[in-house]
Amino acid sequence: MTTVLVADDSRAAREILIALLRSSNFQVVEACDGREAKQLIEANRLDLVMTDVVMPEMNGYELCRWIKQHAALLPVIFCSVKGEAFDRHWGHKQGCDAYICKPFESDLVLRTIHQVLQGPGKAS
């Protein structure tokens, strides 16, 4: 079973993603900030990280850079309200594999996850 870490400081946003992922047969681990996400990455075998950009303790950009330094093969998808072209470009420069803007459509989230998990190259 594929295990996804959902990191977002908004409980509502986490609950929406978690419900979607569980209904699609993903196992889910959740974190309310970047520091907790980092601890869960170190303690669990994960297949994917979905993270917000704006979070306390450690933002999504910092978390992504840390992942690419310490768990380079772990794919990262940003899921953020920061949806301007600059934000998406900056997210990819930080190492994310895909960038989804909130509010999102469930089909887009699932399609992006499958693209990212299937192999090399960037999904957007």
Side-chain angles (χ1 to χ4, degrees), residues 2-6 21 26-29 46-50:
T2 302
T3 304
V4 179
L5 169 63
V6 173
L21 294 170
F26 290 97
Q27 184 173 346
V28 182
V29 178
L46 301 170
D47 299 295
L48 176 71
V49 174
M50 294 191 72

Side-chain angles (χ1 to χ4, degrees), residues 37-46:
K38 180 181 162 196
Q39 293 169 345
L40 289 168
I41 291 165
E42 293 175 323
N44 293 278
R45 186 194 165 284
L46 301 170

Side-chain angles (χ1 to χ4, degrees), residues 41-103:
I41 291 165
E42 293 175 323
N44 293 278
R45 186 194 165 284
L46 301 170
D47 299 295
L48 176 71
V49 174
M50 294 191 72
T51 183
D52 189 13
V53 169
V54 180
M55 295 185 295
E57 303 298 324
M58 174 187 266
N59 69 41
Y61 297 136
E62 294 167 324
L63 177 62
C64 185
R65 286 192 305 267
W66 180 87
I67 290 169
K68 296 308 174 181
Q69 291 174 350
H70 296 91
L73 298 179
L74 183 60
V76 177
I77 297 174
F78 283 129
C79 192
S80 178
V81 296
K82 294 178 65 93
E84 298 297 320
F86 170 81
D87 299 310
R88 293 189 309 273
H89 175 74
W90 186 248
H92 285 288
K93 287 197 66 90
Q94 303 312 299
C96 80
D97 297 277
Y99 198 110
I100 299 171
C101 298
K102 296 177 188 175

